[in-house]
Amino acid sequence: MNVTPLSFFSAIIKRYRVRYFTIGLFELLQAASGILAPLVFGLLVDAVGSHDSSIEKEVTLLAVFLTLILGDMVYSRLSGRMFVRTLAEQRHWAVEWLYARVLRYPNAFYSKQSSGLISHRLAETSVSINQILGCIIFDFWPMLVALCSAALMLFIASVWLGIFMTSWISIYFVASFMFAKMGATHALRAAKSENETNAHISDTLANHLLVDLLNGSTREVANLKTMLTKEKESINCANNYFELVRWTQFGAMAILAIVVVSLSFWLYRQDGIGVALFAMAIGLIINIINYTHNLSQRFADFFGFWGRLNDGVFALLEQTEAAPCTCKEHHSMRGRDIRFERIEFAYDTEQLIIKNLTLEIPAGQKIGIVGPSGAGKSTILRLLLKLHEPISGRIWFGDESIDAICLENLRSNIAVIPQEALLFNRSILENLRYGHAGADVHGIHCATRLAHAHDFIDALPDSYDTLVGCNGVALSGGERQRIAIARAFARDASVLIVDEATANLDPLTEDTIRDALLGICASTTVLVVAHRLRMVAPLDRIIVLDHGVVVEDGTHDELIARGGLYSALWERESESPGDFQARL
């Protein structure tokens, strides 16, 4: 779905159209009351100054004048109250809609932007909508009503006053539109520069430990100064432009006031208009100046808000989202064989990472995938998870291509233990249940015991209710990894993927996890990528990759007997530290 800033903005207006119609009506009545008040006041002054007017006429005019003054205030508060009550609901809807869409984006989207910047843009985009609407409803709309009403009333007073006012309004709005088009470009450039600075700060803070260990704080401050200088230039450029707009608008206001007041005075002296119409003309000009004296700043604010909305929409909504799940229910794929058929894959370069891969994995088989760094081991797993799409070839679950399987259905059948333990800043129990929301306490405890995690969790002051902190910072690396392993066990999926998941564990715990993998349900297919061969040696089968090609396939004993790449890797791993040092 192609979403533009205008279409996104329009969708929100449409959703709350009844409320905004009512708010706009109240603002119209408020503006009309403010514009009519000078006319009634002029008539009241004329009546009071006339010797033949009755007390009833004067009281009536006074009552109408006071009613208009009170109406100005009451209508303003009614529209303001309704708008304030709409703001929170509208912003929450926008955040929820943006959040749901962004979560459906492919992993490549998150590899190009930091999570901090995505979160900042999401919040800023939702807030900018409220700010833009505030400008339109409480600044531009009342001003439009006031100017049009003033033109009509000045036509009543004098054709010449009406012609001048109409001409002035036409020129004013054409000029404002041109300023708006140019101002949006300056505002967008300033917003982008500001977000680049925020992204730099977010990236530095996310890697604060690396900055600290490598004494990088001075460099980072220098980098920030460079970015702030660039940001200041773009903001100053925008501000200078808006300052020019302000002076232009002030000049237009001055011309309006001088011409209307002078012409009204001349007409009054020539008996072209009476005291009431003369007072009305002066009152109208005062009201219009009051409406527009802060308009220049509001134009600048509006351009800035629109620039932020543009930046957020283009950054967050240009990405193609994954197709929503249309399945009535997700079906289990337990017992299905997995087949890679002539798969080829490359990242951004033309160099193939996976080359003509054909591989069959029977259901329930526990296999290890090994090979040198860069051989394509983890890439195979990512292709199976549809985190990437192959250039050519197909992957099959039984007789069904994964291209034909709903993404949610596919991943509901796969549990993953990643290289890095990914934990939410929530309780241990919430993290464990994330893969299987319906898991009972007994199932969770069984999973944590299999992962060798129950004892250390139970020893914590709050046990399973312990908060783990951001990225699990309250736990050690090994503890975080065991929770991630237990989470995958609790999922009880058809396929279990283990991607370098025991690197932070001691050899004894690693052996325990490996034995647990061998002991899980016989119908569960297990794929283990590992650098340490002891992790995969007892598995049913071992696949050896080199430069994206399967060079060996068999059990541990079979591969050792062949004396190939696996045997060489095993021999190197089995060397004692002294022998290895001697070879160096």
Side-chain angles (χ1 to χ4, degrees), residues 454-485:
H454 176 76
D455 290 343
F456 90 78
I457 295 173
D458 205 39
L460 294 171
D462 294 321
S463 188
Y464 282 81
D465 292 324
T466 301
L467 294 176
V468 302
C470 184
N471 293 325
V473 70
L475 306 173
S476 70
E479 290 170 341
R480 290 197 297 270
Q481 196 63 52
R482 279 180 276 173
I483 289 176
I485 292 170

PDB file of all heavy atoms in Angstrom, residues 454-485:
ATOM      1  N   HIS A 454      16.525 -23.652  35.575  1.00  0.00           N
ATOM      2  CA  HIS A 454      15.560 -23.566  36.667  1.00  0.00           C
ATOM      3  C   HIS A 454      16.224 -23.207  37.991  1.00  0.00           C
ATOM      4  O   HIS A 454      15.706 -22.358  38.736  1.00  0.00           O
ATOM      5  CB  HIS A 454      14.804 -24.891  36.814  1.00  0.00           C
ATOM      6  CG  HIS A 454      13.857 -24.900  37.982  1.00  0.00           C
ATOM      7  ND1 HIS A 454      12.651 -24.242  37.961  1.00  0.00           N
ATOM      8  CD2 HIS A 454      13.966 -25.464  39.222  1.00  0.00           C
ATOM      9  CE1 HIS A 454      12.043 -24.413  39.125  1.00  0.00           C
ATOM     10  NE2 HIS A 454      12.821 -25.163  39.910  1.00  0.00           N
ATOM     11  N   ASP A 455      17.356 -23.794  38.281  1.00  0.00           N
ATOM     12  CA  ASP A 455      17.981 -23.592  39.589  1.00  0.00           C
ATOM     13  C   ASP A 455      18.395 -22.145  39.801  1.00  0.00           C
ATOM     14  O   ASP A 455      18.144 -21.564  40.870  1.00  0.00           O
ATOM     15  CB  ASP A 455      19.201 -24.513  39.739  1.00  0.00           C
ATOM     16  CG  ASP A 455      18.802 -25.984  39.870  1.00  0.00           C
ATOM     17  OD1 ASP A 455      17.610 -26.234  40.173  1.00  0.00           O
ATOM     18  OD2 ASP A 455      19.660 -26.847  39.659  1.00  0.00           O
ATOM     19  N   PHE A 456      19.023 -21.525  38.801  1.00  0.00           N
ATOM     20  CA  PHE A 456      19.471 -20.141  39.019  1.00  0.00           C
ATOM     21  C   PHE A 456      18.276 -19.186  39.031  1.00  0.00           C
ATOM     22  O   PHE A 456      18.292 -18.167  39.735  1.00  0.00           O
ATOM     23  CB  PHE A 456      20.516 -19.731  37.977  1.00  0.00           C
ATOM     24  CG  PHE A 456      19.985 -19.106  36.718  1.00  0.00           C
ATOM     25  CD1 PHE A 456      19.578 -17.772  36.683  1.00  0.00           C
ATOM     26  CD2 PHE A 456      19.890 -19.850  35.549  1.00  0.00           C
ATOM     27  CE1 PHE A 456      19.098 -17.204  35.518  1.00  0.00           C
ATOM     28  CE2 PHE A 456      19.410 -19.284  34.391  1.00  0.00           C
ATOM     29  CZ  PHE A 456      19.013 -17.959  34.363  1.00  0.00           C
ATOM     30  N   ILE A 457      17.221 -19.506  38.272  1.00  0.00           N
ATOM     31  CA  ILE A 457      16.022 -18.658  38.292  1.00  0.00           C
ATOM     32  C   ILE A 457      15.355 -18.738  39.657  1.00  0.00           C
ATOM     33  O   ILE A 457      14.968 -17.721  40.249  1.00  0.00           O
ATOM     34  CB  ILE A 457      15.026 -19.065  37.185  1.00  0.00           C
ATOM     35  CG1 ILE A 457      15.612 -18.819  35.797  1.00  0.00           C
ATOM     36  CG2 ILE A 457      13.710 -18.296  37.325  1.00  0.00           C
ATOM     37  CD1 ILE A 457      14.756 -19.344  34.658  1.00  0.00           C
ATOM     38  N   ASP A 458      15.216 -19.949  40.176  1.00  0.00           N
ATOM     39  CA  ASP A 458      14.541 -20.158  41.454  1.00  0.00           C
ATOM     40  C   ASP A 458      15.302 -19.518  42.609  1.00  0.00           C
ATOM     41  O   ASP A 458      14.707 -19.172  43.636  1.00  0.00           O
ATOM     42  CB  ASP A 458      14.386 -21.661  41.709  1.00  0.00           C
ATOM     43  CG  ASP A 458      13.224 -21.955  42.644  1.00  0.00           C
ATOM     44  OD1 ASP A 458      12.170 -21.287  42.518  1.00  0.00           O
ATOM     45  OD2 ASP A 458      13.370 -22.843  43.499  1.00  0.00           O
ATOM     46  N   ALA A 459      16.611 -19.332  42.438  1.00  0.00           N
ATOM     47  CA  ALA A 459      17.439 -18.736  43.494  1.00  0.00           C
ATOM     48  C   ALA A 459      17.359 -17.215  43.513  1.00  0.00           C
ATOM     49  O   ALA A 459      17.799 -16.576  44.475  1.00  0.00           O
ATOM     50  CB  ALA A 459      18.897 -19.176  43.323  1.00  0.00           C
ATOM     51  N   LEU A 460      16.793 -16.617  42.474  1.00  0.00           N
ATOM     52  CA  LEU A 460      16.667 -15.161  42.429  1.00  0.00           C
ATOM     53  C   LEU A 460      15.623 -14.684  43.430  1.00  0.00           C
ATOM     54  O   LEU A 460      14.675 -15.419  43.746  1.00  0.00           O
ATOM     55  CB  LEU A 460      16.267 -14.712  41.020  1.00  0.00           C
ATOM     56  CG  LEU A 460      17.302 -14.955  39.919  1.00  0.00           C
ATOM     57  CD1 LEU A 460      16.688 -14.674  38.541  1.00  0.00           C
ATOM     58  CD2 LEU A 460      18.522 -14.075  40.127  1.00  0.00           C
ATOM     59  N   PRO A 461      15.773 -13.460  43.963  1.00  0.00           N
ATOM     60  CA  PRO A 461      14.823 -12.972  44.984  1.00  0.00           C
ATOM     61  C   PRO A 461      13.361 -13.040  44.554  1.00  0.00           C
ATOM     62  O   PRO A 461      12.492 -13.397  45.347  1.00  0.00           O
ATOM     63  CB  PRO A 461      15.268 -11.516  45.193  1.00  0.00           C
ATOM     64  CG  PRO A 461      16.711 -11.500  44.813  1.00  0.00           C
ATOM     65  CD  PRO A 461      16.855 -12.503  43.713  1.00  0.00           C
ATOM     66  N   ASP A 462      13.084 -12.712  43.293  1.00  0.00           N
ATOM     67  CA  ASP A 462      11.704 -12.755  42.798  1.00  0.00           C
ATOM     68  C   ASP A 462      11.451 -13.941  41.883  1.00  0.00           C
ATOM     69  O   ASP A 462      10.436 -13.985  41.169  1.00  0.00           O
ATOM     70  CB  ASP A 462      11.379 -11.458  42.052  1.00  0.00           C
ATOM     71  CG  ASP A 462      11.370 -10.251  42.981  1.00  0.00           C
ATOM     72  OD1 ASP A 462      10.883 -10.393  44.111  1.00  0.00           O
ATOM     73  OD2 ASP A 462      11.867  -9.191  42.562  1.00  0.00           O
ATOM     74  N   SER A 463      12.384 -14.883  41.864  1.00  0.00           N
ATOM     75  CA  SER A 463      12.247 -16.105  41.077  1.00  0.00           C
ATOM     76  C   SER A 463      11.847 -15.805  39.631  1.00  0.00           C
ATOM     77  O   SER A 463      12.492 -14.994  38.975  1.00  0.00           O
ATOM     78  CB  SER A 463      11.231 -17.034  41.757  1.00  0.00           C
ATOM     79  OG  SER A 463      11.203 -18.292  41.135  1.00  0.00           O
ATOM     80  N   TYR A 464      10.781 -16.396  39.150  1.00  0.00           N
ATOM     81  CA  TYR A 464      10.366 -16.222  37.758  1.00  0.00           C
ATOM     82  C   TYR A 464       9.765 -14.841  37.476  1.00  0.00           C
ATOM     83  O   TYR A 464       9.575 -14.476  36.320  1.00  0.00           O
ATOM     84  CB  TYR A 464       9.359 -17.305  37.365  1.00  0.00           C
ATOM     85  CG  TYR A 464       9.996 -18.643  37.080  1.00  0.00           C
ATOM     86  CD1 TYR A 464      10.347 -19.508  38.105  1.00  0.00           C
ATOM     87  CD2 TYR A 464      10.264 -19.043  35.774  1.00  0.00           C
ATOM     88  CE1 TYR A 464      10.943 -20.734  37.864  1.00  0.00           C
ATOM     89  CE2 TYR A 464      10.852 -20.269  35.494  1.00  0.00           C
ATOM     90  CZ  TYR A 464      11.205 -21.109  36.544  1.00  0.00           C
ATOM     91  OH  TYR A 464      11.804 -22.320  36.287  1.00  0.00           O
ATOM     92  N   ASP A 465       9.488 -14.071  38.527  1.00  0.00           N
ATOM     93  CA  ASP A 465       8.943 -12.720  38.350  1.00  0.00           C
ATOM     94  C   ASP A 465      10.044 -11.663  38.313  1.00  0.00           C
ATOM     95  O   ASP A 465       9.759 -10.466  38.264  1.00  0.00           O
ATOM     96  CB  ASP A 465       7.967 -12.389  39.489  1.00  0.00           C
ATOM     97  CG  ASP A 465       6.710 -13.238  39.419  1.00  0.00           C
ATOM     98  OD1 ASP A 465       6.260 -13.529  38.296  1.00  0.00           O
ATOM     99  OD2 ASP A 465       6.195 -13.637  40.488  1.00  0.00           O
ATOM    100  N   THR A 466      11.303 -12.090  38.310  1.00  0.00           N
ATOM    101  CA  THR A 466      12.427 -11.155  38.280  1.00  0.00           C
ATOM    102  C   THR A 466      12.468 -10.414  36.945  1.00  0.00           C
ATOM    103  O   THR A 466      12.388 -11.029  35.878  1.00  0.00           O
ATOM    104  CB  THR A 466      13.754 -11.898  38.485  1.00  0.00           C
ATOM    105  OG1 THR A 466      13.722 -12.572  39.753  1.00  0.00           O
ATOM    106  CG2 THR A 466      14.934 -10.944  38.435  1.00  0.00           C
ATOM    107  N   LEU A 467      12.607  -9.093  37.005  1.00  0.00           N
ATOM    108  CA  LEU A 467      12.775  -8.294  35.790  1.00  0.00           C
ATOM    109  C   LEU A 467      14.216  -8.420  35.311  1.00  0.00           C
ATOM    110  O   LEU A 467      15.153  -8.280  36.100  1.00  0.00           O
ATOM    111  CB  LEU A 467      12.445  -6.825  36.062  1.00  0.00           C
ATOM    112  CG  LEU A 467      10.981  -6.510  36.401  1.00  0.00           C
ATOM    113  CD1 LEU A 467      10.816  -5.035  36.747  1.00  0.00           C
ATOM    114  CD2 LEU A 467      10.075  -6.863  35.222  1.00  0.00           C
ATOM    115  N   VAL A 468      14.399  -8.653  34.018  1.00  0.00           N
ATOM    116  CA  VAL A 468      15.740  -8.926  33.492  1.00  0.00           C
ATOM    117  C   VAL A 468      16.458  -7.666  33.033  1.00  0.00           C
ATOM    118  O   VAL A 468      17.652  -7.713  32.727  1.00  0.00           O
ATOM    119  CB  VAL A 468      15.684  -9.935  32.332  1.00  0.00           C
ATOM    120  CG1 VAL A 468      15.030 -11.230  32.782  1.00  0.00           C
ATOM    121  CG2 VAL A 468      14.937  -9.356  31.132  1.00  0.00           C
ATOM    122  N   GLY A 469      15.759  -6.524  32.944  1.00  0.00           N
ATOM    123  CA  GLY A 469      16.392  -5.300  32.490  1.00  0.00           C
ATOM    124  C   GLY A 469      16.473  -5.241  30.968  1.00  0.00           C
ATOM    125  O   GLY A 469      16.152  -6.203  30.267  1.00  0.00           O
ATOM    126  N   CYS A 470      16.922  -4.089  30.470  1.00  0.00           N
ATOM    127  CA  CYS A 470      17.035  -3.897  29.019  1.00  0.00           C
ATOM    128  C   CYS A 470      18.048  -4.874  28.441  1.00  0.00           C
ATOM    129  O   CYS A 470      19.194  -4.936  28.885  1.00  0.00           O
ATOM    130  CB  CYS A 470      17.464  -2.458  28.746  1.00  0.00           C
ATOM    131  SG  CYS A 470      17.531  -2.045  27.001  1.00  0.00           S
ATOM    132  N   ASN A 471      17.603  -5.668  27.468  1.00  0.00           N
ATOM    133  CA  ASN A 471      18.441  -6.703  26.844  1.00  0.00           C
ATOM    134  C   ASN A 471      18.960  -7.720  27.855  1.00  0.00           C
ATOM    135  O   ASN A 471      19.992  -8.344  27.643  1.00  0.00           O
ATOM    136  CB  ASN A 471      19.618  -6.070  26.093  1.00  0.00           C
ATOM    137  CG  ASN A 471      19.182  -5.266  24.898  1.00  0.00           C
ATOM    138  OD1 ASN A 471      18.222  -5.625  24.220  1.00  0.00           O
ATOM    139  ND2 ASN A 471      19.857  -4.161  24.634  1.00  0.00           N
ATOM    140  N   GLY A 472      18.244  -7.876  28.972  1.00  0.00           N
ATOM    141  CA  GLY A 472      18.647  -8.868  29.970  1.00  0.00           C
ATOM    142  C   GLY A 472      19.898  -8.485  30.736  1.00  0.00           C
ATOM    143  O   GLY A 472      20.638  -9.355  31.213  1.00  0.00           O
ATOM    144  N   VAL A 473      20.146  -7.167  30.889  1.00  0.00           N
ATOM    145  CA  VAL A 473      21.389  -6.700  31.499  1.00  0.00           C
ATOM    146  C   VAL A 473      21.535  -7.143  32.954  1.00  0.00           C
ATOM    147  O   VAL A 473      22.655  -7.209  33.486  1.00  0.00           O
ATOM    148  CB  VAL A 473      21.471  -5.154  31.392  1.00  0.00           C
ATOM    149  CG1 VAL A 473      20.444  -4.482  32.297  1.00  0.00           C
ATOM    150  CG2 VAL A 473      22.878  -4.661  31.703  1.00  0.00           C
ATOM    151  N   ALA A 474      20.426  -7.485  33.610  1.00  0.00           N
ATOM    152  CA  ALA A 474      20.497  -7.912  35.011  1.00  0.00           C
ATOM    153  C   ALA A 474      21.028  -9.341  35.152  1.00  0.00           C
ATOM    154  O   ALA A 474      21.283  -9.800  36.271  1.00  0.00           O
ATOM    155  CB  ALA A 474      19.117  -7.802  35.665  1.00  0.00           C
ATOM    156  N   LEU A 475      21.190 -10.048  34.047  1.00  0.00           N
ATOM    157  CA  LEU A 475      21.653 -11.433  34.067  1.00  0.00           C
ATOM    158  C   LEU A 475      23.009 -11.545  33.388  1.00  0.00           C
ATOM    159  O   LEU A 475      23.401 -10.683  32.593  1.00  0.00           O
ATOM    160  CB  LEU A 475      20.642 -12.339  33.357  1.00  0.00           C
ATOM    161  CG  LEU A 475      19.185 -12.273  33.849  1.00  0.00           C
ATOM    162  CD1 LEU A 475      18.296 -13.104  32.937  1.00  0.00           C
ATOM    163  CD2 LEU A 475      19.081 -12.765  35.290  1.00  0.00           C
ATOM    164  N   SER A 476      23.711 -12.628  33.661  1.00  0.00           N
ATOM    165  CA  SER A 476      24.970 -12.886  32.967  1.00  0.00           C
ATOM    166  C   SER A 476      24.679 -13.381  31.548  1.00  0.00           C
ATOM    167  O   SER A 476      23.551 -13.765  31.228  1.00  0.00           O
ATOM    168  CB  SER A 476      25.787 -13.930  33.723  1.00  0.00           C
ATOM    169  OG  SER A 476      25.162 -15.210  33.619  1.00  0.00           O
ATOM    170  N   GLY A 477      25.710 -13.402  30.708  1.00  0.00           N
ATOM    171  CA  GLY A 477      25.528 -13.860  29.335  1.00  0.00           C
ATOM    172  C   GLY A 477      25.038 -15.293  29.274  1.00  0.00           C
ATOM    173  O   GLY A 477      24.152 -15.634  28.478  1.00  0.00           O
ATOM    174  N   GLY A 478      25.596 -16.150  30.120  1.00  0.00           N
ATOM    175  CA  GLY A 478      25.167 -17.545  30.133  1.00  0.00           C
ATOM    176  C   GLY A 478      23.741 -17.709  30.606  1.00  0.00           C
ATOM    177  O   GLY A 478      22.984 -18.545  30.080  1.00  0.00           O
ATOM    178  N   GLU A 479      23.346 -16.909  31.610  1.00  0.00           N
ATOM    179  CA  GLU A 479      21.975 -16.980  32.118  1.00  0.00           C
ATOM    180  C   GLU A 479      20.982 -16.515  31.054  1.00  0.00           C
ATOM    181  O   GLU A 479      19.920 -17.117  30.873  1.00  0.00           O
ATOM    182  CB  GLU A 479      21.851 -16.136  33.385  1.00  0.00           C
ATOM    183  CG  GLU A 479      22.576 -16.728  34.586  1.00  0.00           C
ATOM    184  CD  GLU A 479      22.651 -15.773  35.765  1.00  0.00           C
ATOM    185  OE1 GLU A 479      22.481 -14.557  35.559  1.00  0.00           O
ATOM    186  OE2 GLU A 479      22.901 -16.238  36.896  1.00  0.00           O
ATOM    187  N   ARG A 480      21.334 -15.434  30.362  1.00  0.00           N
ATOM    188  CA  ARG A 480      20.453 -14.964  29.291  1.00  0.00           C
ATOM    189  C   ARG A 480      20.282 -16.040  28.215  1.00  0.00           C
ATOM    190  O   ARG A 480      19.180 -16.266  27.713  1.00  0.00           O
ATOM    191  CB  ARG A 480      21.040 -13.686  28.656  1.00  0.00           C
ATOM    192  CG  ARG A 480      20.997 -12.465  29.533  1.00  0.00           C
ATOM    193  CD  ARG A 480      21.192 -11.186  28.734  1.00  0.00           C
ATOM    194  NE  ARG A 480      22.495 -11.114  28.102  1.00  0.00           N
ATOM    195  CZ  ARG A 480      23.581 -10.579  28.671  1.00  0.00           C
ATOM    196  NH1 ARG A 480      23.503 -10.084  29.900  1.00  0.00           N
ATOM    197  NH2 ARG A 480      24.733 -10.539  28.023  1.00  0.00           N
ATOM    198  N   GLN A 481      21.380 -16.699  27.872  1.00  0.00           N
ATOM    199  CA  GLN A 481      21.316 -17.695  26.809  1.00  0.00           C
ATOM    200  C   GLN A 481      20.473 -18.893  27.231  1.00  0.00           C
ATOM    201  O   GLN A 481      19.703 -19.432  26.430  1.00  0.00           O
ATOM    202  CB  GLN A 481      22.727 -18.151  26.443  1.00  0.00           C
ATOM    203  CG  GLN A 481      22.808 -18.889  25.118  1.00  0.00           C
ATOM    204  CD  GLN A 481      22.412 -18.002  23.948  1.00  0.00           C
ATOM    205  OE1 GLN A 481      22.919 -16.908  23.776  1.00  0.00           O
ATOM    206  NE2 GLN A 481      21.469 -18.466  23.142  1.00  0.00           N
ATOM    207  N   ARG A 482      20.566 -19.289  28.487  1.00  0.00           N
ATOM    208  CA  ARG A 482      19.769 -20.427  28.949  1.00  0.00           C
ATOM    209  C   ARG A 482      18.279 -20.100  28.975  1.00  0.00           C
ATOM    210  O   ARG A 482      17.439 -20.974  28.713  1.00  0.00           O
ATOM    211  CB  ARG A 482      20.257 -20.869  30.334  1.00  0.00           C
ATOM    212  CG  ARG A 482      21.501 -21.760  30.264  1.00  0.00           C
ATOM    213  CD  ARG A 482      21.979 -22.182  31.621  1.00  0.00           C
ATOM    214  NE  ARG A 482      22.843 -21.151  32.217  1.00  0.00           N
ATOM    215  CZ  ARG A 482      23.303 -21.194  33.467  1.00  0.00           C
ATOM    216  NH1 ARG A 482      22.959 -22.194  34.258  1.00  0.00           N
ATOM    217  NH2 ARG A 482      24.085 -20.247  33.920  1.00  0.00           N
ATOM    218  N   ILE A 483      17.941 -18.849  29.289  1.00  0.00           N
ATOM    219  CA  ILE A 483      16.529 -18.442  29.229  1.00  0.00           C
ATOM    220  C   ILE A 483      16.039 -18.482  27.780  1.00  0.00           C
ATOM    221  O   ILE A 483      14.916 -18.941  27.500  1.00  0.00           O
ATOM    222  CB  ILE A 483      16.344 -17.037  29.836  1.00  0.00           C
ATOM    223  CG1 ILE A 483      16.536 -17.096  31.354  1.00  0.00           C
ATOM    224  CG2 ILE A 483      14.963 -16.474  29.502  1.00  0.00           C
ATOM    225  CD1 ILE A 483      16.476 -15.755  32.040  1.00  0.00           C
ATOM    226  N   ALA A 484      16.870 -18.029  26.840  1.00  0.00           N
ATOM    227  CA  ALA A 484      16.492 -18.075  25.428  1.00  0.00           C
ATOM    228  C   ALA A 484      16.301 -19.520  24.959  1.00  0.00           C
ATOM    229  O   ALA A 484      15.386 -19.816  24.180  1.00  0.00           O
ATOM    230  CB  ALA A 484      17.557 -17.376  24.580  1.00  0.00           C
ATOM    231  N   ILE A 485      17.147 -20.406  25.452  1.00  0.00           N
ATOM    232  CA  ILE A 485      17.024 -21.833  25.096  1.00  0.00           C
ATOM    233  C   ILE A 485      15.745 -22.416  25.686  1.00  0.00           C
ATOM    234  O   ILE A 485      15.002 -23.136  25.007  1.00  0.00           O
ATOM    235  CB  ILE A 485      18.267 -22.608  25.589  1.00  0.00           C
ATOM    236  CG1 ILE A 485      19.504 -22.157  24.784  1.00  0.00           C
ATOM    237  CG2 ILE A 485      18.061 -24.105  25.460  1.00  0.00           C
ATOM    238  CD1 ILE A 485      20.815 -22.668  25.348  1.00  0.00           C
TER     239      ILE A 485
END
